[in-house]
Amino acid sequence: MSLASTSFDVPDTGAYAHDWALVDVETSGLMARRDRVLSVAVITISPDGEQTGEFSTLLNPGCDPGPVEVHGLTVERLQGAPTFDQVAGRIGAMLQDRVLVAHNAQFDYDFLAYEFARARMWLPVSQRLCTLALNRQVDPPTDDMKLGTLAAHYGIPQQRAHDALDDTRVLAGILRASLREAARLDLPLPLVTCPPRAESQFTPKPPKTPCAYRNPGRLTPGEPLQQGMKVAITGETAHARAELVGRAVAAGLNMMTSVSRHTSVLVTNEPASDSAKARRALAEGVPVIDEHTFLRLLADVRPGAAHQTTAVAVTPVAEPEAEPVVGPVESAPTTTSAAPVPEAAALPKIAPGAGTPTPRRPTPPIGTLDKPLAGRRVLVLGGVHADAAAARTRIVELGGSAAVNLSASVTDVVLLEGGQGDRRMSRITALELPVHDLHWLTAPNATAPATAALRPQEPHVIPRGGVIDLPRPHGRPAPEWYVTAGWAPQSDYEIDVVAFLLDEDEQVTFDEDFIFYGAPESPAGTARLLTGGPAEQTIALNLASLPPATRKVVVAAAIDGATTFGTVGAIQVGAAPGSSGAPLARATLDAATTERTMLLAEIYRRGPVWRLRAVGQGYDHGLDALARGYGVDIAE
């Protein structure tokens, strides 16, 4: 198959016409900072759709090629192939001044960035487009978003899966079809700006060893230390700080970089100092001892209770896959507008009652009389924030899914006051989507939607505070879960999605357990921040590889500056197994008004089960205060 003999036929308007460089890489593993590129293919296409270049090659990585059963690239096949630095110049020339396009583009971009860095060169890419993120916006009625699935949906022939050149040619067809759908729906392209980067700037520190023991609480005066106690050190010490930390870790203590209400003891030779740790310890009533006492207590540390190591698997389900179990609202938290959390204040509880077992009930069957909007996806336009939020809540109560943006899956539109002026109305009219007023939500007709093709299995719609178990099929590896947050594209502000890996005290064990734009990957690679565009960010979690001490992962969002989430409007949160998996669950959160940070979702252990809760709790304070509340050491 050669694109030279076919018409690319892309929309010729400025918003959709770019110089494109379509890329696919096959790799020895999944971690760009550790694994290597085994083959690469690049196809360049001009704004008018003409193919202008094509290049592909196998590469000799100088290491084990990894999962041969996936890519078929054995050591023998790669022998004699060039090394990446020998072809980097040619690849760089094809990428220069073009938009890099790939399916799961951050994966290909990161691998290329590391390979260029190893070759002592810069990756010459200033923008990228992910066809996976683009299709999440288009939302075609497919079982998942895998390359082969989208190729079948769009009628693109695929000859050799996991062959870099054939995958790139298939990608060209998918890009063409996706751009046409985006133009039909008047969707902005999710282009991601790619600033110059150096390898050392993005290489996480080596992973630290998590403490194997549960926190037994605070040190009682006159009593010994116990394994698992959380210990912080501040001020000048007679012994080297590294020596004190090393000895404490070897004894089974949990050395922290900040002080919270869960700290067992603070070690300092200057208890009256004005350090942030000393002030916080005083405010929280944390015991304080000097260095000499600490060293004496280290000689006799009592045994602690180990973390349970059996709670690392998600719920197994029988084949064929059963529907996941959905729980009712677990004491849904209310949105708050509290002042920024001061240094001495504790972070408010995220979800009261989270430690209490919740009764389970199956999802109500589609088509029941009390769920007349089951299977429908409804977009609300216009209205003041409170009215729009109430309308979306009502849609969920009626069994429907509240859309954030116009997509191919939208079946109905509810028009509130002022909605006629929304720029999307002209496109909605052209698409002949049913448009209703607010009264429709009091008694919507129960006829099946006729305007949009539905997936064979629609995502479970969970309300704010709702809970769902994360399933895993028998006999397969536990999937990496992708929690994606999306919102209506805006140019006036930027939203940052972050994650906190928390222990039983809802505190980070290390500062590196805070995943954000400045540190987008945990040291062990178990949690990663992925950017799919200016209106979409994802937290990828390898739940099976999280240490036993990690009991909960909180996914949050923050806005810098004076803008609030009341201005942003609704945020859609979806959870899917794998980067291209079909969404298992979807929630629309829009109860915020004046808040600048928002807790979106929690993924937490309940015995041997991992569960997802849609949170939707906001705070007026900024991200720095939120991080401090979870025990991250943030400079004042």
Side-chain angles (χ1 to χ4, degrees):
M1 173 184 176
S2 174
L3 288 178
S5 60
T6 62
S7 171
F8 191 63
D9 189 26
V10 296
D12 57 4
T13 57
Y16 304 98
H18 294 269
D19 277 304
W20 309 101
L22 284 65
V23 173
D24 185 72
V25 298
E26 298 298 325
T27 64
S28 63
L30 301 177
M31 295 181 65
R33 60 185 168 89
R34 179 195 65 194
D35 301 314
R36 302 299 300 272
V37 175
L38 307 179
S39 69
V40 60
V42 184
I43 290 175
T44 58
I45 296 171
S46 65
D48 60 5
E50 291 296 321
Q51 179 177 326
T52 57
E54 180 178 286
F55 171 72
S56 68
T57 183
L58 298 178
L59 295 167
N60 188 344
C63 66
D64 187 294
V68 175
E69 69 279 4
V70 174
H71 49 61
L73 299 176
T74 62
V75 172
E76 292 73 23
R77 283 194 65 189
L78 298 177
Q79 282 181 348
T83 57
F84 189 90
D85 62 308
Q86 292 174 318
V87 298
R90 182 169 182 181
I91 294 172
M94 298 183 76
L95 299 177
Q96 184 75 45
D97 299 324
R98 291 184 171 93
V99 177
L100 183 149
V101 180
H103 203 60
N104 193 8
Q106 185 158 345
F107 179 88
D108 299 75
Y109 173 80
D110 286 346
F111 266 93
L112 288 176
Y114 276 100
E115 290 291 2
F116 270 86
R118 293 184 185 102
R120 306 294 182 184
M121 298 174 63
W122 291 99
L123 175 63
V125 173
S126 60
Q127 280 188 313
R128 69 174 187 257
L129 174 69
C130 178
T131 50
L132 184 60
L134 177 57
N135 276 278
R136 274 199 291 262
Q137 288 193 12
V138 170
D139 205 14
T142 54
D143 289 337
D144 52 53
M145 296 291 179
K146 296 177 182 177
L147 193 74
T149 304
L150 290 175
H153 172 72
Y154 290 126
I156 312 300
Q158 186 178 30
Q159 297 177 352
R160 298 184 304 279
H162 295 294
D163 175 85
L165 181 57
D166 189 65
D167 281 352
T168 309
R169 290 169 171 169
V170 171
L171 179 67
I174 290 174
L175 175 63
R176 174 188 61 201
S178 303
L179 290 175
R180 294 178 66 178
E181 278 293 282
R184 184 178 73 88
L185 297 165
D186 195 22
L187 296 174
L189 295 182
L191 296 170
V192 176
T193 301
C194 304
R197 53 183 278 187
E199 181 185 2
S200 60
Q201 181 183 351
F202 286 81
T203 302
K205 299 176 183 178
K208 299 178 182 178
T209 303
C211 183
Y213 305 97
R214 295 176 60 87
N215 182 11
R218 291 181 175 175
L219 175 67
T220 301
E223 295 292 324
L225 292 168
Q226 188 174 350
Q227 289 177 325
M229 281 186 169
K230 293 186 172 183
V231 180
I233 302 175
T234 189
E236 296 294 328
T237 55
H239 293 74
R241 181 72 64 89
E243 178 187 350
L244 292 176
V245 171
R247 291 175 63 178
V249 170
L253 300 177
N254 194 350
M255 299 305 295
M256 310 297 292
T257 56
S258 62
V259 172
S260 74
R261 65 185 183 279
H262 302 289
T263 303
S264 304
V265 62
L266 174 67
V267 178
T268 179
N269 294 323
E270 305 169 359
S273 73
D274 194 41
S275 73
K277 293 178 184 177
R279 294 199 311 270
R280 185 71 183 268
L282 178 63
E284 296 288 352
V286 172
V288 178
I289 60 176
D290 60 24
E291 180 182 358
H292 175 74
T293 303
F294 182 55
L295 289 171
R296 177 174 56 80
L297 292 175
L298 278 179
D300 183 25
V301 177
R302 300 296 169 84
H307 286 289
Q308 294 181 1
T309 58
T310 57
V312 296
V314 291
T315 311
V317 295
E319 300 287 359
E321 294 185 30
E323 289 190 352
V325 176
V326 181
V329 175
E330 290 188 348
S331 302
T334 56
T335 301
T336 61
S337 300
V341 175
E343 178 64 29
L347 186 72
K349 282 289 184 181
I350 296 172
T356 304
T358 302
R360 298 178 179 180
R361 60 176 173 81
T363 306
I366 291 178
T368 56
L369 294 177
D370 61 333
K371 301 293 182 183
L373 294 186
R376 285 182 139 147
R377 191 137 165 78
V378 185
L379 177 65
V380 177
L381 298 182
V384 298
H385 179 83
D387 291 343
R392 283 186 279 263
T393 299
R394 177 61 177 161
I395 289 165
V396 173
E397 291 172 350
L398 294 170
S401 174
V404 173
N405 292 307
L406 181 63
S407 71
S409 67
V410 169
T411 60
D412 300 87
V413 177
V414 170
L415 212 58
L416 304 183
E417 184 177 355
Q420 285 285 0
D422 191 288
R423 69 169 187 84
R424 291 168 287 189
M425 272 307 300
S426 59
R427 195 52 51 105
I428 289 168
T429 301
L431 295 172
E432 299 182 347
L433 286 172
V435 178
H436 315 278
D437 61 20
L438 185 59
H439 299 292
W440 181 70
L441 292 178
T442 61
N445 63 69
T447 58
T451 53
L454 301 180
R455 291 182 182 84
Q457 180 63 51
E458 289 293 310
H460 289 265
V461 177
I462 54 177
R464 181 166 166 258
V467 175
I468 187 170
D469 288 352
L470 300 181
R472 177 177 64 89
H474 277 303
R476 302 182 197 171
E480 187 176 36
W481 282 91
Y482 283 65
V483 180
T484 298
W487 49 88
Q490 298 287 343
S491 58
D492 300 334
Y493 52 80
E494 291 185 359
I495 298 176
D496 294 309
V497 174
V498 302
F500 300 91
L501 311 185
L502 306 178
D503 62 13
E504 68 273 7
D505 295 322
E506 298 203 356
Q507 299 284 290
V508 297
T509 300
F510 312 115
D511 288 346
E512 291 84 356
D513 287 340
F514 173 34
I515 311 302
F516 67 110
Y517 57 88
E521 182 178 321
S522 64
T526 54
R528 296 174 292 133
L529 170 65
L530 310 174
T531 301
E536 176 187 292
Q537 293 179 36
T538 297
I539 298 295
L541 296 168
N542 188 335
L543 298 178
S545 298
L546 289 175
T550 301
R551 314 303 295 176
K552 178 188 291 185
V553 179
V554 172
V555 178
I559 307 177
D560 194 19
T563 305
T564 70
F565 279 101
T567 303
V568 174
I571 294 183
Q572 178 181 286
V573 178
S579 62
S580 304
L584 171 76
R586 179 182 286 152
T588 302
L589 308 173
D590 60 359
T593 53
T594 62
E595 293 80 6
R596 293 166 51 215
T597 57
M598 177 70 66
L599 306 186
L600 303 177
E602 297 173 345
I603 300 91
Y604 63 97
R605 300 181 199 255
R606 177 63 58 81
V609 178
W610 281 100
R611 312 190 85 190
L612 169 76
R613 177 192 288 116
V615 181
Q617 180 177 350
Y619 301 97
D620 282 351
H621 56 63
L623 179 59
D624 55 347
L626 185 70
R628 286 194 189 98
Y630 284 127
V632 180
D633 188 14
I634 303 290
E636 295 186 1

